[in-house]
Amino acid sequence: MEFKKHQGAAAVILLAAAIIAAIIVLHIIFVLIGANGHNSIVSTIGQWSGHLAAWFKDLFDTSSAKWNVVLNYGLAALAYLFVGRLAASLVERV
């Protein structure tokens, strides 16, 4: 019975990491396609992803604003997926 609790906790961790990564990737897509920043969905996703990717926002500085978003926010999304998978693995082992 406890094993299923650990599997459930690991699934919740993976789901949370995937949702966070999806928000960040959605922001990247909006920037790449030039979505209207005044739209409430686009601006909300942009604000959330800005908070979620705070440590990574100015990590790389290229001559292109779009490439900056792809590199910095993309790295943040990958980091969330990696840390989420690592955390889920640790929970499954306990």
Side-chain angles (χ1 to χ4, degrees), residues 66-88:
K66 287 184 179 184
W67 268 112
N68 288 343
V69 170
V70 169
L71 290 174
N72 295 324
Y73 284 76
L75 184 59
L78 290 174
Y80 275 107
L81 292 174
F82 176 76
V83 171
R85 183 62 204 144
L86 181 65

Side-chain angles (χ1 to χ4, degrees), residues 49-68:
S49 64
H51 293 299
L52 293 169
W55 293 349
F56 297 92
K57 285 200 307 194
D58 295 322
L59 193 59
F60 295 104
D61 187 21
T62 66
S63 60
S64 168
K66 287 184 179 184
W67 268 112
N68 288 343

